[in-house]
Amino acid sequence: MKRLYRIVLFLLILFPNSNQAQKVEPKNIVLLVNKFKNDIRGPYKDIRWFCTDGSIRAPKDPCPYDIGPGVQHARYKDEVVALGKANHIYLGQILAYTDQELFWDVENDHSRLKQYQIDKYLKSVDNGWINQKGQFYRGAIQAEDEEAWGIEFYKWLLAKDTVLKDEYFLVRQSLKDIPHNGDDNVAQKMRSESKVISDLYLPFMDLRVKIHSQPEEGDIQKVVRFKQANSSKLTADISKKLDELVVTMKEFHKPVDISALPRMAPLTKGTDLGKEIESFASNSALMGSPKLLLEQASQLLFDIRSGLMEEKRPEARLQLLDVSLKLEEIVFKGSSDYQPETLKELLHKICYLGMAVTGSGYLEQWEWDQLASDLTNYETQERSLGELTEVLNRARAAVEWSAAMVKANYDGIVKEYVAFEPLAAGFVDDKIRGSVALHLGQSVGELGTLISTESQLANKVMDLQNQSTIRGLNPGYAFGELVVVGGSSDDIEVSSDKIYVFQRPPSDLKPVAGIATVAEGNMVSHVQLLARNLGIPNAALSDENLQNLQKYDGTRVFYAVSNKGNVILKPENQMTQEELALFAKKERKEERIEVPIAQIRLDENKVLDMRNVDADDSGKLCGPKAANLGQLKKMFPEKVVEGLVIPFGIFRMHMDQNMPGQEGSYWQFLTKMFEEAGRMSASGISEEEVENYQLRQLETLRDAIKKMPLQDSFVDQLEKGFKEVLGSELGTVPVFLRSDTNMEDLKDFTGAGLNLTIFNSVDKEKILAGIKDVWASPYTERSFKWRQKYLLNPENVFPSILVIPSVDVDYSGVLITKGISSGTDKDLTVAFSRGAGGAVDGQAAEQYLIKDKGGYTLLAPARERFYNSLPKTGGTEKKKATFQDRVLNEKNINEIRELANTIRERVPKETNSDYEGAYDVELGFQDNKLWLFQIRPFVENKKALGSTYLESIAPKIDLAKRISLSKKL
């Protein structure tokens, strides 16, 4: 009775409102996990027979013969079932106990399948994890029943062509974890066992790194010698674990019997792929030539993927996928044996490893097609340094895209698990290290080292290995404390005098001294545009680089990115006199800009038709967004929606109202705040204290603006504008409310993404509240800090609002009318994401360099699992994306090229502007029709671009220099 009471009490703590299936807090899931770890039954309640007729019987009362066979396994504890219902977190899943469709879990991005994989990983690195004691609970899970379920699951799943087409990578990865043929994932077991030992005994760390990154048969003797050398310091448990690791390593490094491959796929006998498998298996020359083995295995791996859809039988598809996994194992093991001696052989190896990662699903086939022309051309006698540099860029792209494929598929669910089990953070890295992409990365690193030597363009980043994976994005230099953020950046409070290394930068990044990121998102996101505009050094690096930088977290460093993209990061005590001089105290006014306000018109207090404003009204009646879109409406009437403009004057009119709880108006409150801040500074109070005072006052002002009464005359005008200009009553048509201040989209300051945009709002009251939210947004901490840092008169900010009807685009993005990556003014850079708004918010977008001389280069494919659609009912709806098809088609790219030419030619003329720089254009496509949403100057930091120091660290490179492919490595 006491035990029952304790269980009920525990459930009430975890699930206080179980009727409403309220989500369980991560801290309570931690309690649950720890409880299961110490329970001899783990997450399971008891064992039962589950009979064919649906009846459930006691363990000693098996299913009678007359009602058919049954299966015996455990039932979940009540807390496990409740957690699944409340959080969609499924612990200790038993496959034989699971419906196939629920396990595939389409509605939740296949979450249950992915959780099964994470659960298996955690068990391998944490001694059974939630089954630490429960793994000895006899009969809880029957291996033969799990395997039989796995076979039936794949027969059901692989009958669906769309599944193989859309989710090839995930399906193939799942085969490594879901039992269906009696095989274990020996490679993962080897990595897990070595990790466990290094966690228990730190001196083993170097060997663990070797086993994880460059596994070779010689590692076995290294482990044996390590045990002998440390025998006096090892506990009995660690000694036993080392012995187990040696056994696993011997199993892993056992030669693969390629002659057995046809027996793995008997159903394919006589088919084209079956014949290819038989030919490969019977080629006796392969085992004597590591080069030939890697080439032929990679080719067959690629061909199986290419031809898999031609095979319609689910069982035969399963057999082919199992052969594919075995071929990946052959390539993974054999890569270390193939040691290229010449540049030609290295290019050959990179080419076929690229085919192997494509065959394994880390790249989509259309993505390989974009890389193939550069990576397959290794038969010539010599290449120029420029050509080889491009080969390096394309090969490095294959590595980055492969890692991004793993992250795109698993990051979401891993993040959920990390909230209650930090060990789950290692899952993605384990997947990458267990793939052929690991060896591709190492070979690309060798090529990068060779090219760095030939060009003398080398990174100097602390003492990191494989620095060729680091590349500069934005030029600039910085000095400050290094902060390395290995996990999520969502809750990081950044400082403007620190340098940050992120897995992925937050989309609402506040001012920082410098940044480097593993997932750069895309080159034209708001964060990247701000960094480029303000001369903030910015670089991309690999997961491995980030992990190796962890030991320098908290160190004061000098950081520089040159105009050519090479990167320097070194400790303060290694800075030269020239580098120290860059940060000598000097007047900052020369580095800031003053926004002109002399011509601003606050007397205009009528809602305007966007057709009646143009570029000349920018900074006078409204901000540049509305003025420039009005200009585009005149130039491209069929490509721009109708719109309304709420000018500066209406904002100021409302700010002149009395502010509740204060003496005077909202505007007077703001003015007094800046006056008081000036007095505080003059009296010697620290900048930090002054800023904190301002932020507190601005918070008060923001809250007041959001509650501000809107004047009846303004609401009447708005209703009239909706009816006459937008063609519908206010409250019936979905619209965007775009903040449009006088302090953004300028020639010298972009301000991209600093203020609020209300997405797809329909309801009248929400639109009216949204207007006040947009008015308040320039006074947020982030927006205020950026303006304070880079503008001389940040207090003179005036928001207008652009109101435009929503377009539910199929995909949208950004066009920059210059080649950012190539640095040529005549090329174009574009980044597009599926749905609305993804590219500007920093999603991993599809990016192209569209060349002035014809053709284009894919810089990155999209790697986001979800995108925003805009339903007519308002708000946003998340839809799932897959990667097997590109975002932009050829017709779209040609239309973008024509648009850019027109903009370059007509915009300066029609606006009477002397601006000669590039433009930043936001656009989208709906049913292949192009829509324009914004145009502004593309602002780069002249100081960074013209810095003599940055010029000095970027050597002159002779790209025409010829290099023989017979060159010895």
Side-chain angles (χ1 to χ4, degrees), residues 486-688:
S488 170
S489 61
D490 292 348
D491 300 320
I492 300 296
E493 187 63 36
V494 301
S495 173
S496 63
D497 59 356
K498 294 181 181 179
I499 296 160
Y500 291 85
V501 182
F502 294 115
Q503 271 287 344
R504 181 171 186 156
S507 59
D508 59 348
L509 185 68
K510 297 186 181 84
V512 295
I515 51 176
T517 58
V518 173
E520 65 173 279
N522 66 72
M523 293 186 295
V524 295
S525 68
H526 284 155
V527 168
Q528 300 290 5
L529 289 176
L530 277 169
R532 196 171 187 91
N533 173 193
L534 303 171
I536 296 172
N538 187 5
L541 71 172
S542 69
D543 272 304
E544 183 182 8
N545 297 145
L546 181 145
Q547 290 166 19
N548 292 337
L549 283 172
Q550 290 276 13
K551 61 185 175 184
Y552 297 110
D553 184 51
T555 304
R556 289 177 66 78
V557 298
F558 172 72
Y559 174 41
V561 177
S562 82
N563 303 326
K564 297 274 179 63
N566 56 309
V567 180
I568 293 175
L569 184 71
K570 59 184 176 182
E572 178 181 12
N573 60 13
Q574 293 180 18
M575 291 173 68
T576 66
Q577 286 301 313
E578 183 185 9
E579 289 160 354
L580 288 168
L582 294 172
F583 302 95
K585 280 279 184 184
K586 57 185 175 182
E587 186 63 43
R588 281 193 53 86
K589 284 189 179 179
E590 64 186 21
E591 301 171 26
R592 298 184 183 182
I593 64 166
E594 182 168 6
V595 178
I597 59 167
Q599 297 187 60
I600 201 164
R601 287 183 51 194
L602 300 177
D603 59 323
E604 179 58 78
N605 53 17
K606 297 285 192 295
V607 175
L608 307 173
D609 183 340
M610 190 182 73
R611 285 177 178 262
N612 296 327
V613 300
D614 58 26
D616 189 53
D617 295 309
S618 177
K620 299 173 185 176
L621 293 176
C622 58
K625 278 192 187 75
N628 291 340
L629 194 62
Q631 186 70 50
L632 288 179
K633 183 68 176 174
K634 289 179 169 64
M635 295 171 59
F636 306 99
E638 300 304 314
K639 289 181 167 61
V640 179
V641 295
E642 302 295 338
L644 298 173
V645 181
I646 303 173
F648 298 140
I650 291 179
F651 163 73
R652 180 58 192 268
M653 179 177 71
H654 282 82
M655 289 289 282
D656 284 338
Q657 299 176 113
N658 285 329
M659 181 172 169
Q662 304 290 332
E663 292 183 6
S665 69
Y666 297 88
W667 191 257
Q668 288 170 334
F669 177 88
L670 179 64
T671 303
K672 286 177 185 176
M673 183 271 286
F674 279 109
E675 290 173 353
E676 177 61 22
R679 281 194 292 271
M680 291 171 71
S681 296
S683 63
I685 295 174
S686 70
E687 278 188 32
E688 183 179 1

Side-chain angles (χ1 to χ4, degrees), residues 387-410:
E387 289 169 339
L388 286 172
T389 301
E390 185 59 19
V391 171
L392 172 64
N393 290 336
R394 307 311 284 151
R396 185 161 52 194
V399 177
E400 292 174 359
W401 304 352
S402 297
M405 178 68 83
V406 182
K407 293 174 184 177
N409 276 273
Y410 291 108

